[in-house]
């Protein structure tokens, strides 16, 4: 078995957990690969640490592992998930809320050990799927988003939006001037979507959430079936952008149309289930 570990950058506690996991898993005969920055963090490792050149690999190469472990906040989890492919991923929570990370730091070694033992017994770990949403347009597509995709004008605020038209499976839902439109998964309903006034959706519900961003004649948020095809057309602007999970970005030549659909491949989550309502209780 091979386990890949991604630690939050610049976080000493994350680096310490990386080192603890390496020591425990190596003692179980498991091959361990660590993201390059964590592998090179000398302060986090005890004496006799492995050579960073042998241990550290680019995050994209961790998709070849049998299990990935993300140690940090939701941002670290999203970073790791983009590279995970079909590899199961477990999140250790060092953030304040942690909607994507179910394992508390003090239980990290025990939780990962349990998953490894399950793999050794059964040849696989038990997983559950988290859907993603994918944006595409004329000659381009963005990496699938676990939280949300935003289609917007050239900038937020007065004078920066665009004329938007939103259709669901070809039927017109809304049109008018707005900063943009946000399309979220149930997982992402607690993130950017919530700050824009969108609804909370339990992660077990199979949906997409459409939330208009600062519309002049705003329509209420809409929850649609996860297999719906959403199209967003933007016009009457100097340009626009599509942003996937706050990182991957596509610039648009306006007028432009963006298609948003559930991605063919979900993120596979390993480890104990998240207590959604306990996490909600941490939102201020």
């Amino acid at each position: 078995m091979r386990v890949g570990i991604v630690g939050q950058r610049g976080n000493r506690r994350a680096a310490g957990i990386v080192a603890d996991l390496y020591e425990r898993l190596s003692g179980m005969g498991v091959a361990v690969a660590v993201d390059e920055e964590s592998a090179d963090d000398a302060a986090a490792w005890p004496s006799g640490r492995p050579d960073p050149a042998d241990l550290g690999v680019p995050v994209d190469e961790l998709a070849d592992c049998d299990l990935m472990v993300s140690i940090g906040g939701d941002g670290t989890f999203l970073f790791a998930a983009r590279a995970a492919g079909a590899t199961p991923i477990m999140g250790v929570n060092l953030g304040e809320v942690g909607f994507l990370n179910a394992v508390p730091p003090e239980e990290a070694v025990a939780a990962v050990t349990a998953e490894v033992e399950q793999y050794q017994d059964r040849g696989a770990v038990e997983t559950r799927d988290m859907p993603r949403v994918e944006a595409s347009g004329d000659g381009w597509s963005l990496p699938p988003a676990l939280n949300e995709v935003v289609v917007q004008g050239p900038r937020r605020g007065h004078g920066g939006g665009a004329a938007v038209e939103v259709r669901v499976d070809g039927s017109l839902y809304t049109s008018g001037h707005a900063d943009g439109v946000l399309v979220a998964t149930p997982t992402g309903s607690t993130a950017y979507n919530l700050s824009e006034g969108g609804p909370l959706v339990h992660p077990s519900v199979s949906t997409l959430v459409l939330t208009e961003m600062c519309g002049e004649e705003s329509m209420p948020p809409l929850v649609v079936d996860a297999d719906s095809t959403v199209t967003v057309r933007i016009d009457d602007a100097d340009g626009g952008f599509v942003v996937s999970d706050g990182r991957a970005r596509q610039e648009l030549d306006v007028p432009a149309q963006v298609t948003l659909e559930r991605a063919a491949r979900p993120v596979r989550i390993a480890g104990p289930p998240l207590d959604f309502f306990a996490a909600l209780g941490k939102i201020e």
Side-chain angles (χ1 to χ4, degrees):
M1 184 182 188
R2 186 170 186 247
V3 175
I5 307 173
V6 181
Q8 186 176 39
R9 295 178 178 179
N11 187 313
R12 283 285 180 233
R13 191 174 190 189
I17 294 173
V18 170
D20 289 343
L21 285 174
Y22 173 80
E23 182 177 6
R24 178 72 176 98
L25 296 178
S26 296
M28 297 174 68
V30 175
V32 181
V34 176
D35 73 279
E36 291 173 307
E37 186 162 327
S38 296
D40 200 39
D41 190 349
W45 295 85
S47 58
R49 72 190 180 103
D51 186 340
D54 295 332
L55 181 67
V57 299
V59 172
D60 288 346
E61 294 183 14
L62 296 179
D64 294 333
C65 294
D66 301 295
L67 174 69
M68 285 179 64
V69 181
S70 167
I71 305 169
D74 285 353
T76 304
F77 189 97
L78 290 172
F79 174 68
R82 275 188 291 273
T87 300
I89 181 169
M90 176 192 295
V92 176
N93 183 37
L94 299 184
E96 294 182 1
V97 180
F99 279 102
L100 298 174
N101 303 287
V103 180
E106 63 273 13
E107 297 177 14
V109 173
V112 174
T113 298
E115 294 303 311
V116 169
E117 289 174 343
Q118 182 184 94
Y119 183 92
Q120 291 172 336
D121 288 342
R122 305 179 186 177
V125 296
E126 186 175 339
T127 63
R128 55 198 178 277
D129 290 348
M130 296 179 93
R132 298 188 290 181
V133 59
E134 187 170 19
S136 62
D138 187 10
W140 62 267
S141 64
L142 286 180
L146 181 55
N147 274 350
E148 79 284 312
V149 173
V150 172
V151 184
Q152 66 174 74
R155 58 193 175 279
R156 296 296 305 268
H158 180 71
V164 300
E165 178 187 89
V166 182
R167 292 181 178 270
V168 179
D169 293 331
S171 297
L172 180 66
Y173 167 58
T174 185
S175 62
H177 195 277
D179 282 3
V181 176
L182 185 151
V183 179
T185 66
T187 303
S189 72
T190 60
Y192 196 179
N193 168 74
L194 186 61
S195 69
E196 290 291 335
L200 290 171
V201 179
H202 192 277
S204 65
V205 181
S206 182
T207 63
L208 294 175
V209 182
L210 282 60
T211 302
E212 198 172 45
M213 302 161 65
C214 296
E216 288 185 353
E217 298 179 359
S218 182
M219 291 289 286
L222 177 67
V223 177
V224 300
D225 186 88
D227 290 323
S228 300
T229 297
V230 179
T231 56
V232 179
R233 179 177 175 84
I234 68 170
D235 205 340
D236 192 25
D238 296 333
F241 295 94
V242 184
V243 186
S244 175
D245 273 344
R247 296 181 65 94
R249 175 179 292 235
Q250 173 68 41
E251 188 169 0
L252 299 175
D253 293 325
V254 176
Q257 180 167 294
V258 180
T259 299
L260 301 113
E261 298 176 296
R262 179 161 63 173
R265 186 166 62 188
V267 173
R268 300 174 64 209
I269 307 298
L274 174 73
D275 187 333
F276 177 73
F277 295 101
L280 281 184
K282 299 177 183 179
I283 296 179
E284 297 181 356

